[in-house]
Amino acid sequence: MWGAEATEQGNCSKFTGGQLPHCCEKSPVIVDLLPGAPYNQQTANCCKGGVLSSLTQDPSKFVAGFQMNVGGSADYTGFQMPENFTLGIPGYTCGNATEVPPSKFYSDGGRRRTQALRTWNVTCIYSQFMASSSPKCCVSLSAFYNNTIVPCPKCSCHCQGLSPANCIKYGETPSLLQQKHDPNKEQSPVVICSQHMCPVRVHWHVKQSYTQYWRVKITITNLNVVQNYSQWNLVALHPNLQSVTQVFSFNYKPLNQYGYINDTGMFWGIEFYNDMLLQAGESGNVQTEMLLHKDSGIFTFREGWGFPRRILFNGDECVMPLPDDYPRLPNNAHTAASSSACRIFLPLLLLIVML
């Protein structure tokens, strides 16, 4: 193998030949090599340590590959592709291998082209519901025109005091040595006790309104005291994202899912600045502000239009508050303005009559 290795060699006692095979297991578990692996063990796009970025964030780190030689009969026409593929990560399921035209490779500076004997594709997809029985993040809302801060819905991720929720009081620090951790499994979150019990909270604040622009502040808070989030990303759905003028402190790129609709965008941290979302504490948050142009015909602050339709953190959809709970414009704004005008002009009218 090149670029990866099997976790178990297995029983190779029946093998007849010189050098023993790398693995003799019928259902081998293959793991990616770590960065910095010996050069003679590498292959193209290998050795990412099992950590991949999204295509939008880093095109050089969104793919990983390895090469494997399978021993057996020299008659390749009857070769059967292995079955029951899985990535070994909760939430991912893989389909059956489908044969496609053989892959082709260039050598000798591009002057010679060779091809594989046979090539198959295996497609794996991710499901948030299969990955976890409960959500992993939630959204809270606020606006400059309303004093109400809408918190994350109660029991968004877990309910406090019920299994399997595990939380600590604010200010307490659990002993990391007492935390059970299997390197082959995702560690259970230990969050700061709250009504929503989510490891990650995203706060969307409508901060300010100008004549032709409006400003939004986004804060991502890590409430998980035993985990950092490296190379995190946030995806937001809002109709005014087509008119983003400037984003401060985060990287941003629109995601044109349908070609002509530009209402979805991805945010992620700036390398060596805030691309690491630290665990709960004073530094356990990252934030940015963005400036958006007011599009005539669609812009309004009424009925919660200024708030996002959906928020996803690291590919998992966050729990949004109910639309009826969104901060609303004061209903008596026009009445209050009219009353103030009356109070100002009434003394002036009396003064004219007396004269």
Side-chain angles (χ1 to χ4, degrees):
M1 294 193 67
W2 294 269
E5 60 184 359
T7 57
E8 297 285 345
Q9 184 181 28
N11 184 5
C12 297
S13 59
K14 296 183 179 181
F15 177 77
T16 58
Q19 184 179 359
L20 290 178
H22 178 79
C23 178
C24 297
E25 291 283 329
K26 291 184 178 181
S27 299
V29 176
I30 309 299
V31 294
D32 191 13
L33 292 182
L34 297 174
Y39 184 77
N40 60 354
Q41 297 180 13
Q42 297 184 22
T43 189
N45 296 316
C46 81
C47 313
K48 305 291 177 60
V51 180
L52 299 181
S53 176
S54 67
L55 175 60
T56 302
Q57 287 178 259
D58 192 342
S60 66
K61 297 180 180 179
F62 84 101
V63 63
F66 65 91
Q67 182 177 344
M68 176 173 58
N69 286 354
V70 180
S73 173
D75 182 10
Y76 295 104
T77 59
F79 178 80
Q80 297 295 322
M81 189 64 181
E83 300 176 347
N84 299 326
F85 280 89
T86 177
L87 294 181
I89 304 174
Y92 284 93
T93 54
C94 301
N96 296 326
T98 303
E99 189 166 5
V100 296
S103 302
K104 297 182 180 181
F105 312 93
Y106 288 94
S107 61
D108 194 18
R111 296 189 301 173
R112 172 176 168 78
R113 186 169 68 173
T114 61
Q115 70 178 47
L117 297 175
R118 297 175 72 180
T119 299
W120 292 263
N121 274 354
V122 178
T123 302
C124 302
I125 60 174
Y126 175 78
S127 170
Q128 177 179 348
F129 301 101
M130 296 185 63
S132 175
S133 58
S134 59
K136 299 180 180 179
C137 58
C138 64
V139 178
S140 57
L141 308 171
S142 63
F144 69 91
Y145 51 77
N146 195 310
N147 294 328
T148 302
I149 298 178
V150 179
C152 289
K154 188 175 182 180
C155 296
S156 295
C157 299
H158 292 288
C159 289
Q160 191 176 154
L162 298 180
S163 179
N166 188 10
C167 73
I168 62 171
K169 295 182 179 180
Y170 186 82
E172 295 181 355
T173 303
S175 174
L176 297 180
L177 297 178
Q178 296 178 359
Q179 301 300 318
K180 298 180 180 179
H181 178 52
D182 185 349
N184 298 320
K185 295 182 179 180
E186 184 178 1
Q187 188 174 6
S188 299
V190 180
V191 303
I192 296 177
C193 294
S194 62
Q195 289 188 343
H196 56 80
M197 293 292 290
C198 290
V200 175
R201 181 186 66 222
V202 180
H203 186 74
W204 181 285
H205 176 61
V206 180
K207 185 175 181 179
Q208 204 164 357
S209 177
Y210 307 103
T211 303
Q212 297 184 5
Y213 300 92
W214 62 297
R215 184 183 291 263
V216 171
K217 181 177 182 180
I218 302 175
T219 304
I220 308 172
T221 304
N222 182 7
L223 301 175
N224 191 346
V225 298
V226 294
Q227 182 176 349
N228 298 329
Y229 295 91
S230 61
Q231 298 181 350
W232 57 268
N233 64 70
L234 180 80
V235 174
L237 174 65
H238 190 283
N240 210 190
L241 287 181
Q242 63 182 355
S243 301
V244 171
T245 302
Q246 188 173 1
V247 177
F248 309 90
S249 304
F250 285 175
N251 291 307
Y252 173 78
K253 185 175 182 179
L255 302 178
N256 300 326
Q257 301 183 77
Y258 305 105
Y260 60 94
I261 299 178
N262 183 8
D263 60 358
T264 308
M266 174 181 284
F267 303 84
W268 70 95
I270 300 173
E271 189 175 8
F272 305 125
Y273 176 60
N274 56 5
D275 59 337
M276 174 75 74
L277 179 56
L278 300 177
Q279 61 191 28
E282 295 183 359
S283 302
N285 68 87
V286 290
Q287 51 189 291
T288 188
E289 295 186 9
M290 63 175 171
L291 200 63
L292 305 99
H293 187 264
K294 293 181 177 178
D295 291 341
S296 59
I298 66 170
F299 176 82
T300 179
F301 280 137
R302 295 186 179 277
E303 307 303 329
W305 184 91
F307 300 105
R309 305 321 188 238
R310 296 175 65 191
I311 292 285
L312 295 93
F313 179 80
N314 280 358
D316 290 316
E317 187 165 1
C318 302
V319 178
M320 297 285 297
L322 295 176
D324 291 342
D325 297 332
Y326 283 16
R328 296 181 180 274
L329 286 169
N331 294 327
N332 61 344
H334 179 73
T335 304
S338 302
S339 301
S340 298
C342 292
R343 287 195 297 269
I344 292 175
F345 288 108
L346 183 59
L348 295 178
L349 293 174
L350 293 176
L351 180 60
I352 294 174
V353 172
M354 292 174 65
L355 291 177

